[in-house]
Amino acid sequence: MRIELDFISVLIEWPLLVKGVAWTIGLTSISTLLGLALGIVLAWSRVHGALPLRVLAGTYVELIRNTPFIVQLFFVYFGLPAMGLRLSPETASIIAMVINLSAYATEIIRAGIEATPKGQIEAGMSLALTPSQIFTHVVLPPALRKVWPALVSQIIIVMLGSAVCGQISTEELSHAANLIQSRNFRAFEAFIIATLTYLTLAVALRRLLNWLGPRFLFGR
């Protein structure tokens, strides 16, 4: 049996692929910023918050980390309308990705916070810094520096997981590949191109984050 590959019939649909890549990058960028911000707040809550706050944050983390991302996505997109809250596919995708990333980022950042030497905190207190200043300027930067590789890996996992968002018609890369193969029946070629594109995005994102982190987050 002879198989003839025809990548041209897929690449000729490049506007769909470019749009899919743009949506994937957009979803990842927004969810990364919001997810990390929420993860920092939740990590602080788990370490320094009052008991009810620690319990609430811990319950949130365990709930999200022990349920599949696709279930979280479907709950946001299909479940919330039952409560009267209708969302577009793109908005639902961002919310689900933020929720997912924040739960994992919370535990990663918490590990960095708890690894901060007590001497640094005591030094900040001796300088009459407020608790918020100590956390922001003394604790958080070195904590992020310690766990940044793990955070980068988690961000990439969330970016790759955005492929699931095509299931609710978000026009990201996997949705574009599926649409192209439904038109020309070149599923093998379409998903090979999608796979290589995801690989390229993941490598580029890792290098970008490893370059940005030390320069803008850690003050080096």
Side-chain angles (χ1 to χ4, degrees):
M1 181 178 178
R2 184 179 179 182
I3 300 176
E4 295 185 0
L5 299 179
D6 182 11
F7 290 98
I8 300 299
S9 62
V10 176
L11 294 175
I12 201 172
E13 300 280 0
W14 64 267
L16 281 176
L17 293 172
V18 170
K19 184 177 182 181
V21 169
W23 268 110
T24 297
I25 294 174
L27 292 172
T28 303
S29 300
I30 296 173
S31 62
T32 295
L33 293 174
L34 297 179
L36 290 183
L38 181 56
I40 291 172
V41 172
L42 291 173
W44 177 90
S45 300
R46 295 209 68 183
V47 176
H48 299 294
L51 179 59
L53 196 57
R54 294 201 303 270
V55 171
L56 184 61
T59 302
Y60 171 86
V61 168
E62 292 303 314
L63 175 64
I64 300 304
R65 293 197 340 148
N66 291 286
T67 53
F69 174 64
I70 192 170
V71 173
Q72 299 162 17
L73 178 66
F74 283 0
F75 176 81
V76 173
Y77 187 66
F78 296 113
L80 293 184
M83 302 170 59
L85 182 58
R86 293 189 176 276
L87 301 171
S88 68
E90 294 77 20
T91 302
S93 298
I94 290 173
I95 292 174
M97 291 172 68
V98 168
I99 290 173
N100 188 268
L101 176 59
S102 65
Y104 286 91
T106 295
E107 290 302 279
I108 294 172
I109 296 170
R110 182 169 73 96
I113 292 174
E114 292 180 340
T116 302
K118 292 184 179 180
Q120 292 186 15
I121 299 175
E122 293 172 352
M125 295 174 64
S126 68
L127 295 174
L129 297 178
T130 64
S132 61
Q133 289 175 326
I134 292 174
F135 179 76
T136 304
H137 300 291
V138 178
V139 175
L140 189 58
L144 289 177
R145 186 182 302 118
K146 290 185 181 74
V147 301
W148 189 245
L151 283 175
V152 170
S153 295
Q154 191 58 47
I155 291 169
I156 292 173
I157 290 173
V158 170
M159 186 272 289
L160 297 176
S162 68
V164 177
C165 298
Q167 298 297 314
I168 61 171
S169 300
T170 302
E171 298 180 20
E172 43 72 54
L173 180 56
S174 70
H175 181 273
N178 193 46
L179 182 59
I180 291 171
Q181 69 85 22
S182 69
R183 292 178 176 179
N184 56 26
F185 304 104
R186 291 290 179 177
F188 188 74
E189 294 91 329
F191 287 109
I192 281 183
I193 291 174
T195 299
L196 294 176
T197 305
Y198 276 118
L199 175 62
T200 302
L201 288 174
V203 172
L205 180 59
R206 182 181 299 276
R207 291 184 177 181
L208 176 64
L209 291 175
N210 285 334
W211 180 81
L212 287 176
R215 286 164 176 77
F216 296 98
L217 292 178
F218 313 143
R220 296 191 303 178

